[in-house]
C-alpha cells in the first residue's frame, strides 16, 4: 500500500509537471503561467512567515482608519507613508474580514503579477528565451519573494513600477498615446506605493 501511494504521488507529480511544461510552451499563456508560479512562491513565503515585519502594523493601522473614513488620522501616523497600500487593504477587507490575510494577499498577488509586464517588456527587447529566464529568476529570487511574502507595499510598488516601464516601452514602439497615458497612470500609482518616505521621492526620480 505505501508503495502504491508513493507511486500514485509520483504519477500525479509527473502529470502536473507535464501540464505546466505544455502551458509554458504556449507563448500566449506563458506570461500568466509564470505569474502564477511567482504568486505561488510568494504565497508560500507568506505561509512560512512567523514574525510580522516591524513596518506592517503602521500600514494595517492606516487601513483600519481609512476603512472608518478617518483619513486625516491615517495620514498623521508617523513616519509619513503614502496611503495606497493601506487603501487597497481597506478595499480588500470588504471581501475578506481578516485584515492581515488581505494585506499578505495584496502583496503576494501584485508582486507575482509583476512577472507579466517584466516578461512582455523583456520579450519585446530580447526575445522569448531571455524573457522566460528573466521571469523565472524573478519568480524565485529570494529577496523579492521574501518582501512580497510580507504585509508590505513592495508588491504593489514592483507591479506599478514594472507596468510603467512595459507600457512606456510599448508606447514608444507603437507610437500609442493611449499606452503612454496608461504608463503615466501606473507611474502616478507607483510613487504612492513606494515603500519610502516623502523625503526620498526626489532621489527616486533620478
Amino acid at each position: 500500500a505505501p508503495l502504491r501511494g508513493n507511486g500514485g504521488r509520483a504519477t500525479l507529480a509527473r502529470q502536473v509537471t507535464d501540464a505546466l511544461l505544455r502551458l509554458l510552451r504556449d507563448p500566449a499563456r506563458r506570461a500568466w503561467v509564470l505569474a502564477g508560479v511567482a504568486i505561488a512562491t510568494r504565497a508560500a513565503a507568506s505561509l512560512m512567515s512567523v514574525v510580522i515585519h516591524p513596518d506592517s502594523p503602521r500600514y494595517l493601522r492606516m487601513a483600519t482608519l481609512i476603512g472608518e473614513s478617518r483619513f486625516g488620522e491615517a495620514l498623521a501616523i508617523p513616519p509619513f507613508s503614502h496611503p495606497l497600500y493601506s487603501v487597497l487593504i481597506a478595499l480588500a477587507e470588504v471581501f475578506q474580514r481578516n485584515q492581515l490575510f488581505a494585506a499578505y494577499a495584496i502583496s503576494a498577488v501584485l508582486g507575482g503579477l509583476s512577472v507579466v509586464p517584466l516578461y512582455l517588456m523583456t520579450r519585446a527587447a530580447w526575445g522569448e528565451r531571455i524573457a522566460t529566464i528573466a521571469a523565472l529568476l524573478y519568480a524565485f529570487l529570494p529577496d523579492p519573494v521574501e518582501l512580497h511574502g510580507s504585509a508590505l507595499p513592495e508588491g504593489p510598488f514592483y507591479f506599478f513600477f514594472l507596468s510603467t516601464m512595459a507600457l512606456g516601452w510599448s508606447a514608444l514602439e507603437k507610437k500609442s498615446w493611449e499606452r503612454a497615458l496608461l504608463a503615466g497612470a501606473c507611474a502616478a500609482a507607483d510613487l504612492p506605493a513606494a515603500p519610502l518616505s516623502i523625503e526620498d521621492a526626489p532621489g527616486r526620480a533620478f
Side-chain angles (χ1 to χ4, degrees):
L3 290 175
R4 193 179 304 119
N6 291 336
R9 285 192 291 271
T11 301
L12 178 62
R14 282 196 299 271
Q15 291 173 344
V16 171
T17 302
D18 290 342
L20 283 173
L21 289 174
R22 283 195 299 271
L23 288 171
L24 283 172
R25 292 189 190 104
D26 183 355
R29 299 179 181 177
R30 188 174 298 158
W32 297 104
V33 173
L34 291 168
V37 172
I39 291 172
T41 59
R42 285 146 177 78
S46 298
L47 292 173
M48 292 187 292
S49 178
V50 293
V51 179
I52 191 169
H53 192 278
D55 289 338
S56 298
R58 182 169 77 254
Y59 297 107
L60 298 178
R61 177 59 180 161
M62 288 176 65
T64 298
L65 293 172
I66 289 170
E68 297 171 355
S69 300
R70 296 158 63 186
F71 297 100
E73 293 180 49
L75 294 175
I77 295 176
F80 176 81
S81 300
H82 285 285
L84 180 59
Y85 180 53
S86 298
V87 168
L88 293 175
I89 296 172
L91 290 173
E93 284 188 88
V94 175
F95 308 98
Q96 169 55 252
R97 299 305 302 172
N98 187 324
Q99 187 187 62
L100 188 58
F101 178 87
Y104 275 115
I106 290 167
S107 184
V109 171
L110 288 181
L113 286 176
S114 303
V115 161
V116 176
L118 173 65
Y119 175 85
L120 295 176
M121 179 178 61
T122 310
R123 185 181 66 180
W126 294 291
E128 293 276 358
R129 181 182 178 186
I130 300 300
T132 302
I133 293 172
L136 284 171
L137 287 173
Y138 174 83
F140 292 100
L141 201 63
D143 284 348
V145 169
E146 182 181 358
L147 284 172
H148 302 164
S150 303
L152 293 171
E154 272 81 0
F157 166 67
Y158 274 57
F159 176 76
F160 289 118
F161 176 71
L162 290 170
S163 295
T164 299
M165 294 179 65
L167 286 166
W169 181 284
S170 180
L172 291 172
E173 277 196 328
K174 301 184 181 299
K175 296 179 173 60
S176 167
W177 64 267
E178 295 94 340
R179 298 188 187 198
L181 285 177
L182 286 173
C186 287
D190 173 41
L191 184 59
L196 297 172
S197 65
I198 191 67
E199 293 85 357
D200 295 318
R204 176 168 294 280
F206 297 98

